[in-house]
Amino acid sequence: MGSVFSHHRTNADRSAKDRSRHKEKIEKAIREGIHDIVAEESIIGQDGKKKIRIPVRGIKEYRFVYGQNQQGQAGSGGDADVQRGQKIGQKQKKGKGKPDKAGNKPGEEYYDVEVTLEELAHYLFKDLELPDMEQKQMKEILSEKFKRKGYRPQGIRPRLSKKETAKQRIRRKNAAKRAGTYNEEDGEDFGFRESDLRYKHITVTQKTATNACIFFVMDVSGSMTKNKKYLARSFFFLLYHFIRSKYEKTEIIFVAHDTQPYETDEDKFFNRGTGGGTMVSPAIEYVIEQANKRYNPQSWNLYTFHCSDGDNWGDDMDRTIELNLKLKEMCQFYGYCEITPEDERIRWQNGSTLANAYEPYEDETFKIGRIYRKDDVWKVFREFFRS
Amino acid sequence: MSDWNLQDLQDWDDKICEIAKKHGLDWYPITYETCDYYEMLGNMSYHGMPTHYGHWSYGKSFEQQHSQYQHGMTGLPYELIINSDPCISYLMLENPMYLQILIMAHCVGHSDFFKQNRNFGFTRADTVVPRMRNAKKRIQAYCEDPHIGIDKVEELIDAAHAISYQVPRYPMDIPNLPEEYERHRLANLETVKKNKVDARDLPYQPEYDLLGFCASYGEHLEDWQRDVIEIVRDSAYYFMPQIRTKTMNEGWACFWHYKILHELELPQGLHLPFLKSHNQVVRPHVGRINPYHLGFHLFNKIEERYGIEECFIAREVHNDESFIRQYLTREDCEELNLFSFSAQNDYYVVDDVSDEEGWESVKKTLLAQTAGNSIPVIYADSIEDGYILVLHHEHDGRDLEVSYAEKVVKHITHLWGSEVKLITMVDDAPYEI
């Protein structure tokens, strides 16, 4: 009794559909668990095209399994000399499972998922938008987008689709064969006809873009410790990518300040060192001045975001508040973010922080966010932009 | 690229079959299909079934295996064969001739085991392929049904998969539970209720078939939902014997490929690489149990101690647990260098080794992880007021992982349609989920 041999009839890529369902689930997990990863060191400071690997908790299949006290296991020692009481390996720390270890043992499954920042931005910012964006009357820009949309029998020469045209001819030929009006064996030439020609059709969509100008203001004084700067940058980094991914016509002005404001470029803003004392009012004043000079609030949507550790020169407080109220009136939205890492908080118990001073003025257009640790970056971000 | 063609395979197969027959093996005919590694991975994800219903977990399984393979963490298994009549096995195009010969001889062993071992008696190997194909079509239709849709189907399969190991361990035909309960009622009219079977009095005895119980008595289940649960249940019953006999099945296949290959009079150029591969397959995995290694060792010892006849009897009547319990001696434990270990603080520490006073404890530990014994046993005990399904865990000293159990109970709630609770023990105290 012999066996039967055959080459596998390929039914294409049989698990393709199930893989794509699995991928959808992972993407969902990415979206849901995104706050875990947005403030990761590996992401902050990358440009949009670069691929980043992020660990994503696997989609688990739960079953009844034995837990920690599952008594002994048996194993083979191979050629090794095994003694009672011998330590044979380190136990895995709870919660930090090795990747790629599936099995039915409890523990975390992690996958490394490669995404570009652009994709990440897409997941992150799906349901967020700049608050209170208005269609300002002036300087409304219409952007035009061209999009392919099917084929038409009429068109201009450069848009002729050779492939579709050839298909039309074949179709006509087959029809002719069926109808018996053409016989291939006769060697007769079956040429193109005018009616075979197909042109790519292009439609133009018009989009009204709204002008927005966003001021990024960051405290870079000496009191901004490494950790604080890191949190502030994480916040601005998110903000930057959020705006870049959602709004085409936006101007971003980067302002760093200690006792003086400095307008910088993007690169310096994210990577610059710190030092000096803190005076907030000159920075606010600078923003107001620049906004009035360059971006007339009549025609621009203005947004300001300020990150600081809440420290300010005591005598400057009144003026700061005064200017702040003025700026608030000009802006569609003004977000202030105070960064006080948990382990550095004790110093600020005297209550003289900016956030405390600003608190009475908080409303829909002026919000205060407090960041104590990495997780809060995303929380505050969502608070600001949830429509 | 390869050093063989289908005709070569056919020629070697004829010789293999002849030798196997001479030794008294009696197997399902085998259909070999050649495929490349990518298709092999695809087939593996679906347990080798030529058709199988879709579910994201198989996509996940593919991704995992593919990435492991890509990173060189694992090789592919040499062989993949399913318990069907005829058996279907896949041969990878990338494998060289000697490996194909080894695999074919190995598959004859598996096929004989599928056909002869009593655990497989109810798997209906002759219809499994069309059954799976049919199930796939039905599930696909539910996914495409606008009133149901893939999300609902997936959620249900997720839930059913969570308890797909919770079926009876011993070999049995899939019972029709309502009929069975009715029979039980008629046979015990004095002790059970006289009137019709009422779900609220069930089950009469511990019911280990959780999928079956949910499918028959779950509240508010629609027909399509019962059908999907039954599909998962059918495949659970089908795969349970393989879980129960992994060591024996592999041991038997290795035992025979080794015997057959020695009688094949292979040319030297094939013989040496063959031996190397064979040793690779049956080598001990340090710190773990390699079922190929253990099974191969035991069948050889049985032949040595009691003669080949005993091997044939063992392959027919045993499962891994009874097999090891009966045949694994102190000498074997020592030779295999078996030991037991457990976690103490941050380390794994050896508890016992296979010497005079230790080997029985090592054997006991081994048995507790053999033949599906590493899967907790859960049964349906009763239905309380409010149609609450009460499950019990047969606690044997090992606690359940509570975080997992909670999730599974949630899944069962989805199937049952009403509240579900599970009674177990945690840290020696009763615990309810």
Side-chain angles (χ1 to χ4, degrees):
Chain A
M1 98 206 223
S3 309
V4 179
F5 291 85
S6 68
H7 284 299
H8 188 60
R9 326 168 294 286
T10 304
N11 34 9
D13 188 353
R14 67 181 294 196
S15 62
K17 175 123 187 290
D18 290 336
R19 291 208 307 276
S20 84
R21 282 301 287 183
H22 178 231
K23 199 169 160 232
E24 279 170 36
K25 282 187 183 286
I26 288 195
E27 283 176 356
K28 197 159 155 254
I30 296 177
R31 277 202 300 278
E32 282 164 3
I34 205 91
H35 60 272
D36 288 344
I37 52 169
V38 287
E40 282 303 323
E41 287 81 348
S42 56
I43 297 178
I44 305 304
Q46 299 284 7
D47 66 36
K49 293 277 180 252
K50 189 167 171 191
K51 287 219 163 189
I52 31 181
R53 292 177 79 83
I54 48 171
V56 173
R57 209 162 288 147
I59 314 298
K60 259 188 213 157
E61 296 159 81
Y62 293 97
R63 294 202 153 91
F64 286 118
V65 292
Y66 288 121
Q68 289 297 312
N69 85 329
Q70 66 155 308
Q71 292 170 341
Q73 283 168 268
S76 161
D79 297 330
D81 181 23
V82 185
Q83 302 291 331
R84 274 192 190 82
Q86 187 182 338
K87 282 181 189 170
I88 50 170
Q90 203 155 1
K91 209 170 110 182
Q92 256 171 40
K93 297 254 164 56
K94 223 185 166 182
K96 276 203 172 177
K98 261 196 209 154
D100 296 308
K101 181 93 177 101
N104 56 357
K105 293 273 186 293
E108 298 292 345
E109 281 172 37
Y110 278 99
Y111 294 88
D112 277 348
V113 177
E114 271 198 348
V115 290
T116 62
L117 257 176
E118 281 165 356
E119 286 167 326
L120 195 63
H122 170 75
Y123 294 136
L124 277 170
F125 307 131
K126 221 175 180 179
D127 49 349
L128 300 179
E129 55 187 49
L130 280 173
D132 202 25
M133 189 86 155
E134 279 178 19
Q135 302 274 324
K136 295 270 176 174
Q137 288 173 346
M138 307 269 291
K139 274 204 186 177
E140 219 167 65
I141 294 166
L142 284 175
S143 70
E144 291 192 331
K145 273 196 170 171
F146 294 93
K147 215 180 162 190
R148 289 263 293 275
K149 200 178 179 188
Y151 300 92
R152 295 281 163 92
Q154 274 92 35
I156 54 170
R157 198 71 187 169
R159 292 201 187 135
L160 178 73
S161 165
K162 290 175 192 147
K163 187 178 165 195
E164 287 305 311
T165 303
K167 272 157 84 178
Q168 287 301 324
R169 179 181 151 270
I170 293 166
R171 228 169 258 159
R172 205 160 46 76
K173 189 162 108 181
N174 289 342
K177 267 194 265 179
R178 272 196 302 279
T181 53
Y182 171 69
N183 191 348
E184 208 160 5
E185 266 109 71
D186 297 349
E188 193 186 333
D189 189 35
F190 198 86
F192 284 95
R193 295 219 190 130
E194 188 72 31
S195 62
D196 292 334
L197 301 185
R198 287 292 178 276
Y199 299 89
K200 291 167 196 155
H201 185 59
I202 293 189
T203 54
V204 182
T205 50
Q206 288 188 331
K207 207 176 136 196
T208 50
T210 320
N211 303 329
C213 166
I214 296 142
F215 285 92
F216 284 25
V217 185
M218 180 160 67
D219 182 355
V220 292
S221 66
S223 64
M224 287 294 281
T225 58
K226 205 175 156 213
N227 194 13
K228 286 180 194 168
K229 264 188 317 185
Y230 166 69
L231 291 172
R233 275 180 191 144
S234 305
F235 179 81
F236 279 125
F237 189 75
L238 273 182
L239 187 63
Y240 178 77
H241 278 280
F242 168 56
I243 287 158
R244 282 276 175 262
S245 71
K246 291 273 260 206
Y247 302 93
E248 280 169 43
K249 297 270 184 271
T250 45
E251 298 266 339
I252 299 179
I253 320 288
F254 299 95
V255 180
H257 74 86
D258 39 41
T259 56
Q260 289 298 315
Y262 313 93
E263 188 171 331
T264 67
D265 62 15
E266 178 191 333
D267 194 42
K268 285 210 187 81
F269 184 77
F270 284 113
N271 300 310
R272 196 177 160 227
T274 54
T278 320
M279 282 253 272
V280 178
S281 67
I284 307 286
E285 200 174 359
Y286 180 80
V287 172
I288 294 173
E289 199 184 295
Q290 291 301 314
N292 279 324
K293 200 157 79 187
R294 285 149 69 181
Y295 308 98
N296 183 350
Q298 297 302 312
S299 47
W300 288 80
N301 284 293
L302 288 185
Y303 295 87
T304 307
F305 297 93
H306 181 202
C307 272
S308 123
D309 60 356
D311 195 10
N312 193 14
W313 190 253
D315 294 345
D316 186 46
M317 217 50 161
D318 293 342
R319 189 170 156 69
T320 303
I321 290 175
E322 187 191 314
L323 285 167
N324 245 321
L325 292 175
K326 202 170 155 197
L327 179 60
K328 182 189 147 194
E329 292 309 310
M330 291 166 65
C331 289
Q332 302 298 116
F333 183 82
Y334 178 12
Y336 170 70
C337 224
E338 188 154 297
I339 294 162
T340 44
E342 267 175 335
D343 42 344
E344 297 171 37
R345 253 159 98 186
I346 308 102
R347 281 177 57 204
W348 305 112
Q349 280 178 344
N350 57 16
S352 69
T353 69
L354 283 170
N356 291 348
Y358 287 172
E359 210 151 322
Y361 311 103
E362 189 171 4
D363 61 16
E364 275 306 299
T365 56
F366 178 53
K367 279 193 188 158
I368 300 169
R370 287 181 170 82
I371 296 177
Y372 303 118
R373 64 189 87 85
K374 250 184 346 190
D375 303 3
D376 297 333
V377 173
W378 179 242
K379 259 185 238 156
V380 168
F381 194 80
R382 280 196 72 95
E383 274 306 306
F384 281 3
F385 299 108
R386 203 161 14 202
S387 46
Chain B
M1 206 171 73
S2 51
D3 56 347
W4 51 268
N5 57 38
L6 284 190
Q7 191 54 50
D8 293 333
L9 297 182
Q10 192 84 63
D11 293 345
W12 283 109
D13 180 70
D14 287 343
K15 292 181 200 162
I16 290 168
C17 291
E18 200 179 306
I19 297 168
K21 222 190 248 170
K22 193 186 78 198
H23 282 285
L25 291 184
D26 176 11
W27 67 100
Y28 296 133
I30 303 171
T31 301
Y32 290 102
E33 292 191 1
T34 55
C35 63
D36 63 22
Y37 92 93
Y38 197 81
E39 290 167 321
M40 186 75 165
L41 282 170
N43 294 329
M44 273 166 62
S45 307
Y46 298 92
H47 315 295
M49 288 296 153
T51 45
H52 195 285
Y53 63 84
H55 183 248
W56 61 267
S57 59
Y58 304 116
K60 169 182 162 180
S61 153
F62 182 94
E63 297 285 10
Q64 279 177 337
Q65 280 161 353
H66 191 238
S67 96
Q68 285 181 19
Y69 179 75
Q70 291 289 356
H71 294 127
M73 280 187 282
T74 50
L76 284 165
Y78 294 127
E79 119 273 356
L80 179 60
I81 185 166
I82 62 163
N83 162 35
S84 58
D85 180 11
C87 280
I88 299 172
S89 174
Y90 302 91
L91 298 173
M92 255 194 300
L93 291 164
E94 288 86 348
N95 285 340
M97 188 70 234
Y98 74 88
L99 206 49
Q100 309 291 23
I101 299 171
L102 186 150
I103 293 164
M104 290 189 295
H106 190 85
C107 283
V108 169
H110 276 311
S111 183
D112 171 82
F113 195 86
F114 288 141
K115 191 176 175 187
Q116 305 299 336
N117 183 276
R118 63 183 276 273
N119 287 280
F120 290 88
F122 296 99
T123 53
R124 294 177 289 153
D126 53 335
T127 61
V128 64
V129 172
R131 252 151 63 212
M132 294 275 180
R133 190 185 309 128
N134 199 308
K136 178 197 168 141
K137 280 187 191 150
R138 267 141 62 208
I139 286 186
Q140 202 164 348
Y142 300 139
C143 288
E144 286 161 8
D145 186 333
H147 298 289
I148 305 172
I150 190 164
D151 290 325
K152 279 191 194 163
V153 175
E154 247 178 23
E155 197 185 352
L156 187 66
I157 297 179
D158 284 354
H161 277 186
I163 48 171
S164 66
Y165 295 143
Q166 307 302 330
V167 291
R169 311 274 164 112
Y170 42 88
M172 63 185 291
D173 205 355
I174 302 187
N176 179 326
L177 290 184
E179 277 175 18
E180 183 152 292
Y181 290 142
E182 176 63 15
R183 258 201 308 281
H184 184 272
R185 187 186 68 86
L186 292 174
N188 298 279
L189 281 175
E190 315 80 52
T191 49
V192 301
K193 273 204 177 164
K194 299 272 190 318
N195 37 6
K196 263 189 77 196
V197 171
D198 182 350
R200 269 152 245 276
D201 303 324
L202 295 177
Y204 294 126
Q205 57 217 354
E207 181 55 72
Y208 294 92
D209 184 350
L210 297 190
L211 282 171
F213 199 69
C214 286
S216 296
Y217 299 102
E219 256 194 334
H220 317 305
L221 283 183
E222 293 175 38
D223 286 347
W224 73 267
Q225 291 174 309
R226 277 179 220 285
D227 188 33
V228 171
I229 300 173
E230 288 290 355
I231 286 170
V232 177
R233 181 181 177 224
D234 182 37
S235 97
Y237 270 81
Y238 171 81
F239 283 114
M240 186 46 80
Q242 304 198 14
I243 295 172
R244 299 282 289 160
T245 58
K246 176 81 181 161
T247 304
M248 288 183 73
N249 204 341
E250 294 303 351
W252 186 247
C254 290
F255 181 73
W256 282 104
H257 80 225
Y258 194 70
K259 264 197 185 328
I260 292 169
L261 269 287
H262 273 98
E263 292 177 33
L264 265 180
E265 290 160 14
L266 288 170
Q268 196 69 9
L270 293 180
H271 195 72
L272 279 176
F274 155 72
L275 278 180
K276 215 173 133 192
S277 292
H278 167 79
N279 286 331
Q280 184 74 7
V281 171
V282 300
R283 78 188 189 284
H285 293 169
V286 175
R288 287 181 296 154
I289 298 291
N290 175 6
Y292 294 76
H293 177 218
L294 178 60
F296 181 67
H297 174 94
L298 281 177
F299 272 115
N300 278 314
K301 288 292 170 184
I302 295 168
E303 187 187 16
E304 202 179 295
R305 287 170 195 149
Y306 315 103
I308 187 81
E309 281 311 308
E310 182 76 11
C311 292
F312 276 91
I313 294 168
R315 78 93 156 74
E316 194 175 328
V317 303
H318 281 292
N319 62 51
D320 281 354
E321 191 181 351
S322 60
F323 180 68
I324 290 171
R325 199 183 293 285
Q326 176 151 352
Y327 295 111
L328 186 80
T329 62
R330 182 190 156 187
E331 185 198 323
D332 296 322
C333 289
E334 249 174 79
E335 229 171 279
L336 296 165
N337 197 8
L338 299 182
F339 64 95
S340 63
F341 62 97
S342 58
Q344 286 171 23
N345 301 322
D346 287 343
Y347 290 93
Y348 286 112
V349 178
V350 176
D351 295 323
D352 255 315
V353 294
S354 295
D355 54 16
E356 180 63 40
E357 60 267 35
W359 77 274
E360 277 174 316
S361 134
V362 172
K363 181 171 170 178
K364 199 176 145 225
T365 312
L366 173 64
L367 283 168
Q369 71 188 41
T370 304
N373 287 345
S374 52
I375 302 165
V377 179
I378 313 282
Y379 62 86
D381 179 70
S382 57
I383 299 171
E384 282 182 358
D385 287 348
Y387 216 61
I388 302 169
L389 174 63
V390 182
L391 303 173
H392 279 240
H393 166 221
E394 275 182 11
H395 196 275
D396 61 357
R398 294 178 284 184
D399 291 352
L400 291 180
E401 172 67 36
V402 174
S403 64
Y404 271 52
E406 280 167 353
K407 292 279 195 332
V408 180
V409 167
K410 220 167 168 189
H411 278 314
I412 303 174
T413 309
H414 183 74
L415 302 176
W416 183 246
S418 181
E419 212 177 304
V420 176
K421 60 183 182 185
L422 170 70
I423 315 288
T424 179
M425 305 264 286
V426 172
D427 294 332
D428 299 323
Y431 192 93
E432 190 186 308
I433 291 171

